[in-house]
Amino acid sequence: MHEKLVNWLIKSPNLFILSILFFEMGTILLIYQIQLISQLINNVIFINQSLGHLSKLILLIIVLIIFRGLFNFSGEVLTKKIAQKIKSLIRKKLADKLLQTNSINKTHSGNMVTIFFDRVEAIEDYYTLFLPQVVLSILIPVSVLFFVLPLDLLSGFVFIFTAPLIPFFMFLIGKFSEKINKKQWQSLSNLSTFFLDSIRGFKTLLVFNQHEKHLERIKRANDDYLQRSMSVLKITFLSALVLELLSTLSIAVVAVEIGLRLLYFKITFEQAFFILLIAPEFYLPLRNLGLRFHAAMNGVEAYKEIHSFIFSKEFHKNQKSVNYSTKFVQSLNVENLTIRYPDQESPIINDFSFCFEKGKHYALVGSNGAGKSTFFRVLLRFIHPLMGKISLDGININEITPQDYYSQISWLPQNPVIFNGSIVDNLLISNPEHDLVNLEKILKIVELNDFIDTFPNKYHSEIQEFGKTISSGQRQRIGLARLLMRNSSILLCDEPTSFLDPISEQLISKVLEDYSKEKMMLTIAHRIHTIRGADSLLFFQKDKPIISGTFDELISNNIEFQLFIKYYFGEKFND
Amino acid sequence: MIKNFLQYAKKSWSGIGISIILGCFTVLSSIVLMGVSAYLIILAGFHPSIAVLQISIVGVRFFGISRGIFRYIERLQTHKVNFSILGNVRLSIFSKLSDRYYQLIDKYSGSEVLSIIINDINQLENLFVRLLSPAIVSLLISILVGIFLGLQSVELLFVYVVGYLLTGIIIPFLSINIGSLSKGNLNHARDQFQSSVINFNQFIDEAIFYQMESKLTLDLEKNIKYLEKEQTKTGVWQSVWHLLSFYSNQGVFIFVLIISIFLANEGKLDLLLVGVISLVVLTSFEVLSNIPSMAYLYGDIESSSKRIQEIEAIPFDTENGFQEISNEIFPIKFLNVSYVYPGHRNHKALENINIEFKKGEKIAVVGVNGAGKTTFIELILGIRSDYEGRIFLKDQELKTLPKKIIRQRFGYLTVNPYIFGTTIRQNLLLAKEKAKDEELIQVLEKVNLNLDLNTRLEEFGKNLSSGEIQRFAIAQSILFDADVQIFDELYANLDPKSAFEISQLIQEKFSEKTVIFVTHRFINMDYFDNILVFHQGKIVQRGKHKDLLVQTGKYTELFNK
């Protein structure tokens, strides 16, 4: 996963390099500042210079501090900028992917928000805290050595010798604790979801009068969690122990070593003090890296989910585009249609052939998950069949440009979606050529005019103003209005399963009746009325071929259909 | 926030004390290490005999080792304290939930409650480890360093105190207050972005159909940009505060240096100490450098703990004494019962309900959404006791009975039964604590489920189908063995076949019980002795299926859909 996260950076590495450069400049200024400070202390203690003599030196140190701050600030801001850019890039990628694959599995919007927002946010620290630190934990020690080695070989060697020990021991302990972690992980995660589970299932606990006893269980789970976590942490924190121990011990070793050599005139005070001051700075980046490792791991975990979403399977597509002259469609022919979802083994629709004709009404019936909606989604070209062909008057629909194809279809979804924008915007998407006069007529037909008149800007009102006050009946009517604005030859209609108010329901069936005359209409039917009124039925069943026929044929010949009608519409047909 | 913390920390005082002392020792180790090292080197610069250096060499070695060890113990201790505080938070929230559950659900939606509780508790996780403990340690260390400087001269102490006020108090204070200004924008951008993701996700099909994918994408991209802009702004501000506290720290260092040189020149300060002081001050900044990020954390934690306080502040019904309930609860009578939701004065959710249930009766409650079915059930269950009129269980007013007792007598199975992520056995034992394994196996057989008691159910019962979950919940209801069993919209998520099977199962297994069955799907309606048709808060029709069918009215209207 690390490489994949780094890959996002490699696409535009300039800013990152620049930010590292800023940090490096800051480091060099720091080293210079430390040199000046040791010179200052030397001059004060051993040359007894007065404050006046030292003012130049002090001024220079102040200037260095100012620039150091600015360099580090710029580096920090740059890494944040980079992280923001990458986050936006990933979000756009996610949106593209969602646009392509939404049809596979209608994902709950809440989950989408989690991926789009929370998961993407979680990777920010990886770019702002972790990655720069990885580079710096090499760059800064090397820069320090560059100054220390010519000055004092022995201290330089102490640095060189101890520095690699830190990552080495951390790696060893990391490996060891990882094993233990994995063993404990299962039970730990069981325990941590325990509380979540308790809150989610609270109502059940309440119903069974168990909520007080459950308090005890939570307490026990807490104690258990505490004990297990502590035994894991004892090992996990060992790496931090080694880190601290090695770095402070090395500083102590260096301090004693240079102190003794200073005593025997092997080194000047200024040099010795410089090395003492620089020693903590040498180990600091390695220490920070250890501290930030955890944040990085969270990012990597979050990215796994993002990655699997971006690279999830898609329906394969083959699109050639040919213009299709707009005429009234005579027939819609389905041949050997097989549809399989990329994440499933067996096809949901298998080898289905049928010819839909102009002017006839078809009802699609069957229980949930039998493939009715899938079939609609193929007709709407949201998803693509594994095999088979669908053609309009002999022309494969894959070869028709989306514009020409969709203009042949009117679609009334089960729950028409209203997007953010004005009510006019929401209607005109169906046919931008309509003018307001026409629009008003249509709104009258679907009896939305009174409702819209209650708003100050009438149909120019932003839909957000309607807020939650839009009922499912009004939603349906907006869908209906969209339908009336286009005059296409095929009508796809998905009857709502939920209860509508009786007035909306009557209105919808009346409008549809008028509108669908002479048209080819396919309805996913949930009302016995629609099923009986259709010229022909398509009966969908799970893992079985689709059966067609008139209502009377099916009810007298097909036991499964009889049962289905009985389950669905009660005892009415017992008689 | 602090008040909250104090309440949760009650039993952990000694642990907190130890963890803070250890934290101080850790930081002190490195300060003293650098101070003593500086002393050693400056001393060596005067080339005394080696014996003079011996003590400081030992000191350097000791503090070189001690820091790592202190740090290790401190981290363990801090996390231990944190776990136990968090445990207390969970317990306290959970116990408060018990009293206020339905009030909460009225105010927020169920998922909101969930996310508030889960997210905010996670935020509190940072409270001790990342905020309180470092803040206290930094204060204590600064006091110690201040004392050390004050012992040398008052001027040094003055500079240090001013510097500490600046870095430790004024800059964080400003950053919290100015930060909260820009936070408003950031939250707005976040909300806009999230709602545009929802919009995007919901509108995709229509967008493809109406050929407006690019417009849809554009809208989302606009909000991605807006979010990016606001987040960058916030990020830059954070860096600005970071820079300011860096300058303030370094400023203190320079001033301390200048003053100590001045004092040394005047002969008021030992020359040796000039170097030692400058290193001590430099090293003590370790505790101050985290303050900007702590200030940022403070904002998040504070808003979390505010929300938790909000939940805690919701008033709850107190239990009505300890009145015992007589064994007989039948007949259950509603006399002129009306209900108005608090805050909806003019709208009666229920109006003049009069009904009587006898023992063993099978009752169906039907009607469209919003007809009053749910409110009716909530009254029976004693969830809402602020009704008008009277409800009697035999001769006792429902209002006066403890809820716990009511819950024992009325079983309630909802549309989405919840299954815990533990074993089948544990889930069943919720309904009947002392049941033996044989009884559990029997009950599973009764509902035609072939499950092993030791099987662990995945989160939310994912390895069961929705029909199986319903049957499992029915098994729980059988075990629970209440006098009245209420079923709420059991068919909603089921295909017709499973729904039919469930209806048969209930008919068989609850023959002795009083059953109240809420539904909007008409399956097996002949089973019911009395069907109540709710419409706009009233019972508009009642009777048996066959009788209702011959009348023209709401029932036939609903049935014919």
Side-chain angles (χ1 to χ4, degrees):
Chain A
M1 277 303 141
H2 283 282
E3 319 87 80
K4 277 161 193 148
L5 277 160
V6 174
N7 269 340
W8 287 97
L9 195 67
I10 287 174
K11 282 170 192 154
S12 54
N14 294 345
L15 281 184
F16 186 70
I17 293 171
L18 192 62
S19 75
I20 295 295
L21 232 83
F22 277 126
F23 286 128
E24 176 61 15
M25 301 274 271
T27 309
I28 290 171
L29 291 192
L30 170 71
I31 296 170
Y32 190 33
Q33 184 193 338
I34 287 173
Q35 237 163 17
L36 293 183
I37 290 173
S38 22
Q39 194 184 338
L40 185 79
I41 302 286
N42 183 50
N43 291 1
V44 171
I45 298 176
F46 296 99
I47 311 180
N48 280 324
Q49 275 186 342
S50 71
L51 203 55
H53 283 102
L54 295 166
S55 57
K56 258 192 194 165
L57 212 52
I58 292 175
L59 220 62
L60 197 53
I61 292 174
I62 292 174
V63 171
L64 284 180
I65 287 172
I66 290 173
F67 276 96
R68 241 182 90 200
L70 289 178
F71 279 132
N72 284 338
F73 173 78
S74 314
E76 240 179 75
V77 169
L78 270 183
T79 53
K80 282 177 186 168
K81 185 114 195 136
I82 293 163
Q84 293 300 341
K85 280 225 147 53
I86 291 175
K87 272 158 51 185
S88 293
L89 215 62
I90 290 179
R91 285 183 172 132
K92 278 178 202 160
K93 250 288 181 333
L94 284 170
D96 286 346
K97 181 70 183 185
L98 187 56
L99 203 55
Q100 278 163 26
T101 57
N102 182 59
S103 309
I104 294 181
N105 272 321
K106 267 281 175 196
T107 321
H108 189 267
S109 294
N111 298 343
M112 270 301 116
V113 170
T114 312
I115 293 189
F116 267 75
F117 187 76
D118 303 272
R119 298 289 175 266
V120 176
E121 282 306 307
I123 61 171
E124 179 173 323
D125 284 354
Y126 190 86
Y127 295 105
T128 56
L129 297 180
F130 184 67
L131 267 191
Q133 199 60 46
V134 171
V135 182
L136 290 179
S137 65
I138 298 166
L139 218 53
I140 293 179
V142 169
S143 316
V144 171
L145 278 180
F146 186 78
F147 285 89
V148 171
L149 273 179
L151 212 64
D152 180 34
L153 218 53
L154 190 62
S155 304
F157 280 138
V158 175
F159 286 166
I160 291 177
F161 179 69
T162 51
L165 282 182
I166 292 178
F168 176 72
F169 274 111
M170 282 185 71
F171 175 77
L172 268 190
I173 291 169
K175 271 274 161 214
F176 181 54
S177 68
E178 196 180 351
K179 262 190 205 159
I180 294 175
N181 265 338
K182 265 186 190 152
K183 263 192 221 159
Q184 301 269 22
W185 185 244
Q186 193 55 45
S187 56
L188 276 186
S189 70
N190 278 345
L191 283 162
S192 64
T193 51
F194 183 79
F195 187 65
L196 186 72
D197 217 21
S198 311
I199 300 281
R200 284 191 207 237
F202 190 81
K203 204 167 170 182
T204 305
L205 293 173
L206 202 60
V207 164
F208 291 134
N209 259 334
Q210 286 282 320
H211 52 285
E212 278 159 19
K213 295 223 174 66
H214 202 73
L215 217 53
E216 284 300 308
R217 287 184 210 124
I218 294 181
K219 209 170 176 180
R220 241 180 294 138
N222 272 340
D223 294 344
D224 201 24
Y225 183 67
L226 176 80
Q227 268 171 13
R228 282 169 196 265
S229 308
M230 289 317 290
S231 64
V232 173
L233 287 181
K234 266 177 201 158
I235 311 260
T236 316
F237 289 163
L238 269 186
S239 61
L241 172 69
V242 170
L243 222 156
E244 296 280 350
L245 214 56
L246 272 174
S247 62
T248 44
L249 208 57
S250 310
I251 294 172
V253 168
V254 168
V256 172
E257 165 249 330
I258 51 180
L260 289 178
R261 286 193 312 134
L262 180 59
L263 187 67
Y264 298 115
F265 300 96
K266 297 265 163 59
I267 190 173
T268 67
F269 172 78
E270 204 182 313
Q271 287 169 336
F273 205 70
F274 170 74
I275 288 167
L276 177 68
L277 277 174
I278 203 100
E281 305 297 337
F282 179 83
Y283 295 103
L284 191 65
L286 284 167
R287 238 153 79 175
N288 282 342
L289 186 65
L291 289 177
R292 290 173 180 186
F293 192 68
H294 183 65
M297 285 303 103
N298 283 344
V300 171
E301 281 307 311
Y303 187 70
K304 274 183 191 159
E305 202 175 322
I306 296 170
H307 187 81
S308 68
F309 184 82
I310 292 183
F311 293 94
S312 60
K313 285 183 190 164
E314 287 175 29
F315 283 100
H316 71 102
K317 280 186 196 172
N318 44 336
Q319 274 187 343
K320 283 183 282 176
S321 293
V322 171
N323 284 329
Y324 178 76
S325 62
T326 40
K327 54 174 184 177
F328 229 70
V329 174
Q330 300 295 319
S331 71
L332 171 73
N333 202 16
V334 177
E335 294 166 66
N336 309 103
L337 187 73
T338 299
I339 307 163
R340 182 170 61 94
Y341 283 101
D343 53 352
Q344 275 168 17
E345 299 231 324
S346 56
I348 181 154
I349 291 177
N350 202 357
D351 200 20
F352 170 56
S353 300
F354 195 78
C355 186
F356 298 93
E357 288 162 36
K358 181 192 169 188
K360 289 207 170 160
H361 291 184
Y362 301 88
L364 282 58
V365 294
S367 40
N368 293 338
K372 299 177 312 244
S373 314
T374 307
F375 181 59
F376 256 38
R377 301 181 80 73
V378 171
L379 289 183
L380 286 163
R381 301 215 306 201
F382 296 157
I383 59 179
H384 299 265
L386 190 67
M387 274 180 289
K389 191 173 118 182
I390 302 171
S391 46
L392 288 187
D393 293 341
I395 300 174
N396 191 332
I397 63 166
N398 276 338
E399 294 173 5
I400 303 171
T401 58
Q403 202 176 357
D404 288 339
Y405 181 67
Y406 286 128
S407 71
Q408 295 293 342
I409 296 177
S410 301
W411 173 41
L412 183 63
Q414 203 171 51
N415 278 310
V417 178
I418 290 156
F419 65 92
N420 298 339
S422 73
I423 193 121
V424 177
D425 293 340
N426 262 291
L427 293 176
L428 285 184
I429 54 166
S430 180
N431 187 348
E433 282 155 27
H434 272 270
D435 54 29
L436 281 181
V437 183
N438 268 328
L439 210 73
E440 268 183 79
K441 263 189 216 159
I442 286 171
L443 286 173
K444 237 177 217 146
I445 297 174
V446 299
E447 292 174 14
L448 268 177
N449 48 337
D450 289 343
F451 173 66
I452 287 166
D453 280 348
T454 58
F455 289 90
N457 293 325
K458 301 216 166 162
Y459 26 72
H460 290 296
S461 307
E462 286 289 306
I463 216 86
Q464 283 97 323
E465 293 172 36
F466 297 73
K468 285 172 191 162
T469 59
I470 279 210
S471 71
S472 58
Q474 280 152 348
R475 224 171 245 278
Q476 282 285 332
R477 290 177 203 204
I478 287 175
L480 207 57
R482 284 177 183 161
L483 200 75
L484 294 179
M485 292 177 71
R486 33 170 70 206
N487 186 27
S488 8
S489 34
I490 300 171
L491 175 55
L492 301 180
C493 183
D494 196 345
E495 276 185 354
T497 43
S498 56
F499 281 120
L500 286 180
D501 53 297
I503 303 165
S504 300
E505 208 171 302
Q506 267 174 11
L507 177 93
I508 289 166
S509 47
K510 190 183 145 285
V511 173
L512 273 179
E513 201 177 306
D514 292 344
Y515 181 73
S516 63
K517 268 179 195 144
E518 306 289 307
K519 288 193 165 117
M520 176 195 299
M521 175 157 89
L522 280 68
T523 309
I524 295 181
H526 297 292
R527 285 181 185 73
I528 193 71
H529 242 58
T530 326
I531 298 175
R532 296 204 110 170
D535 296 311
S536 186
L537 300 184
L538 292 174
F539 181 44
F540 287 67
Q541 292 174 91
K542 228 176 188 168
D543 303 322
K544 283 183 187 160
I546 299 163
I547 299 163
S548 63
T550 63
F551 183 84
D552 293 333
E553 280 166 22
L554 287 177
I555 202 81
S556 48
N557 298 330
N558 190 310
I559 296 171
E560 275 141 346
F561 186 70
Q562 286 165 9
L563 282 175
F564 172 79
I565 292 292
K566 188 183 162 198
Y567 288 142
Y568 237 99
F569 302 102
E571 303 93 312
K572 250 194 207 166
F573 294 89
N574 282 353
D575 319 324
Chain B
M1 180 176 87
I2 299 295
K3 209 180 97 197
N4 259 14
F5 174 77
L6 293 182
Q7 178 196 338
Y8 301 131
K10 259 178 208 157
K11 286 172 203 155
S12 324
W13 287 124
S14 57
I16 291 173
I18 294 173
S19 124
I20 285 172
I21 290 171
L22 284 169
C24 288
F25 279 173
T26 310
V27 182
L28 274 183
S29 293
S30 53
I31 294 178
V32 177
L33 170 66
M34 292 313 283
V36 175
S37 301
Y39 183 76
L40 168 73
I41 284 173
I42 296 169
L43 210 58
F46 289 105
H47 310 291
S49 76
I50 182 129
V52 181
L53 294 183
Q54 276 311 343
I55 293 178
S56 32
I57 289 177
V58 171
V60 167
R61 282 183 180 148
F62 173 75
F63 289 108
I65 298 172
S66 69
R67 173 173 167 105
I69 292 168
F70 280 135
R71 180 98 182 105
Y72 179 72
I73 306 174
E74 183 252 341
R75 281 184 83 180
L76 281 181
Q77 177 67 21
T78 312
H79 278 82
K80 196 171 164 189
V81 169
N82 203 44
F83 282 136
S84 70
I85 292 175
L86 263 178
N88 288 344
V89 175
R90 287 182 178 154
L91 281 177
S92 141
I93 299 261
F94 190 86
S95 66
K96 276 169 184 145
L97 203 59
S98 311
D99 303 327
R100 299 174 177 80
Y101 185 70
Y102 289 101
Q103 283 87 342
L104 266 175
I105 299 289
D106 270 0
K107 195 170 172 200
Y108 310 93
S109 74
S111 60
E112 263 178 323
V113 172
L114 190 74
S115 80
I116 288 176
I117 291 175
I118 301 298
N119 291 339
D120 293 345
I121 288 184
N122 283 346
Q123 269 300 345
L124 288 183
E125 194 164 343
N126 293 323
L127 179 66
F128 183 66
V129 171
R130 303 233 303 235
L131 191 64
L132 278 181
S133 163
I136 296 172
V137 168
S138 94
L139 184 66
L140 291 179
I141 290 296
S142 303
I143 290 173
L144 286 178
V145 174
I147 291 173
F148 169 71
L149 292 180
L151 286 178
Q152 316 308 325
S153 92
V154 187
E155 292 91 335
L156 284 176
L157 177 64
F158 177 73
V159 170
Y160 191 76
V161 168
V162 170
Y164 184 81
L165 284 180
L166 204 60
T167 324
I169 294 168
I170 296 173
I171 292 178
F173 178 79
L174 285 178
S175 82
I176 287 168
N177 284 294
I178 295 176
S180 70
L181 292 181
S182 69
K183 217 166 202 175
N185 281 341
L186 184 63
N187 286 342
H188 181 250
R190 195 193 57 206
D191 294 346
Q192 287 278 312
F193 172 72
Q194 293 185 341
S195 87
S196 86
V197 170
I198 294 171
N199 199 31
F200 187 89
N201 188 42
Q202 290 178 339
F203 199 63
I204 284 179
D205 287 350
E206 263 102 338
I208 295 174
F209 182 76
Y210 294 116
Q211 305 264 296
M212 46 182 297
E213 296 110 304
S214 55
K215 190 174 177 287
L216 187 69
T217 317
L218 222 64
D219 178 61
L220 183 62
E221 276 175 7
K222 201 182 81 199
N223 283 304
I224 291 176
K225 275 217 185 85
Y226 178 40
L227 181 67
E228 182 185 325
K229 199 183 110 200
E230 288 304 324
Q231 286 188 329
T232 310
K233 231 198 252 167
T234 316
V236 172
W237 268 111
Q238 265 177 285
S239 296
V240 168
W241 299 119
H242 204 192
L243 179 67
L244 285 181
S245 50
F246 170 78
Y247 280 156
S248 133
N249 280 345
Q250 297 285 323
V252 172
F253 169 67
I254 292 292
F255 270 107
V256 166
L257 200 59
I258 291 174
I259 290 173
S260 52
I261 291 172
F262 175 77
L263 291 173
N265 282 344
E266 299 273 299
K268 289 179 187 161
L269 187 70
D270 192 342
L271 274 180
L272 259 172
L273 283 174
V274 177
V276 175
I277 287 173
S278 61
L279 263 176
V280 164
V281 171
L282 260 184
T283 321
S284 75
F285 290 157
E286 179 191 337
V287 289
L288 291 178
S289 64
N290 285 328
I291 284 185
S293 55
M294 277 156 61
Y296 198 70
L297 202 62
Y298 176 84
D300 293 342
I301 294 180
E302 203 199 12
S303 53
S304 286
S305 76
K306 257 194 198 140
R307 266 194 304 268
I308 290 181
Q309 274 171 345
E310 248 173 63
I311 289 184
E312 291 177 344
I314 288 178
F316 57 93
D317 292 344
T318 40
E319 278 296 355
N320 306 307
F322 301 95
Q323 192 178 340
E324 276 300 315
I325 189 166
S326 66
N327 270 332
E328 193 51 46
I329 59 167
F330 296 104
I332 299 169
K333 272 189 241 164
F334 275 61
L335 292 176
N336 287 324
V337 175
S338 297
Y339 188 80
V340 180
Y341 277 92
H344 295 259
R345 273 194 196 164
N346 300 320
H347 177 70
K348 283 195 173 174
L350 285 178
E351 205 174 337
N352 280 329
I353 302 293
N354 285 291
I355 184 78
E356 190 176 318
F357 304 137
K358 295 187 195 73
K359 192 171 182 179
E361 236 182 335
K362 314 288 181 257
I363 291 124
V365 175
V366 299
V368 296
N369 292 336
K373 292 174 301 189
T374 309
T375 318
F376 179 64
I377 297 300
E378 286 176 347
L379 290 190
I380 301 179
L381 287 171
I383 293 167
R384 305 185 181 280
S385 49
D386 46 344
Y387 52 85
E388 295 163 33
R390 316 199 69 179
I391 303 175
F392 285 109
L393 307 185
K394 203 178 178 201
D395 47 11
Q396 297 179 85
E397 174 78 49
L398 184 79
K399 256 183 230 194
T400 64
L401 298 171
K403 296 205 168 86
K404 203 170 167 178
I405 305 273
I406 300 175
R407 282 195 293 259
Q408 262 165 26
R409 297 306 190 89
F410 293 85
Y412 180 53
L413 178 49
T414 49
V415 51
N416 289 318
Y418 190 83
I419 304 213
F420 290 88
T422 129
T423 57
I424 299 269
R425 178 184 292 105
Q426 290 298 331
N427 271 292
L428 287 174
L429 286 179
L430 281 181
K432 187 171 183 182
E433 254 179 280
K434 286 173 186 132
K436 297 217 170 75
D437 276 6
E438 299 95 75
E439 192 180 351
L440 302 183
I441 293 166
Q442 263 177 18
V443 84
L444 285 178
E445 276 169 11
K446 275 187 193 164
V447 297
N448 296 324
L449 278 177
N450 186 18
L451 294 169
D452 186 77
L453 289 180
N454 294 318
T455 308
R456 277 196 90 83
L457 289 166
E458 270 178 61
E459 221 185 327
F460 328 133
K462 258 184 203 155
N463 41 13
L464 296 179
S465 74
S466 40
E468 285 171 326
I469 289 177
Q470 290 288 19
R471 273 187 280 162
F472 188 78
I474 289 173
Q476 285 179 317
S477 300
I478 294 173
L479 283 172
F480 192 59
D481 198 29
D483 298 315
V484 180
Q485 180 62 41
I486 300 170
F487 296 106
D488 196 354
E489 296 283 11
L490 284 202
Y491 304 147
N493 295 335
L494 299 180
D495 60 83
K497 200 177 165 202
S498 324
F500 190 73
E501 284 165 9
I502 295 283
S503 84
Q504 299 295 324
L505 189 66
I506 288 171
Q507 186 166 357
E508 276 169 41
K509 305 301 175 204
F510 292 88
S511 50
E512 315 263 292
K513 303 281 175 196
T514 303
V515 170
I516 302 177
F517 199 97
V518 182
T519 183
H520 70 245
R521 269 164 75 179
F522 289 46
I523 295 170
N524 199 13
M525 296 305 279
D526 278 326
Y527 161 63
F528 298 105
D529 301 318
N530 198 0
I531 297 172
L532 308 178
V533 184
F534 275 75
H535 185 65
Q536 296 181 342
K538 292 179 195 145
I539 300 180
V540 291
Q541 271 181 300
R542 60 182 85 187
K544 283 185 187 273
H545 179 61
K546 284 212 167 101
D547 304 331
L548 288 175
L549 269 190
V550 291
Q551 306 167 12
T552 43
K554 264 279 155 267
Y555 188 72
T556 38
E557 197 181 289
L558 290 169
F559 185 73
N560 284 329
K561 282 206 182 163

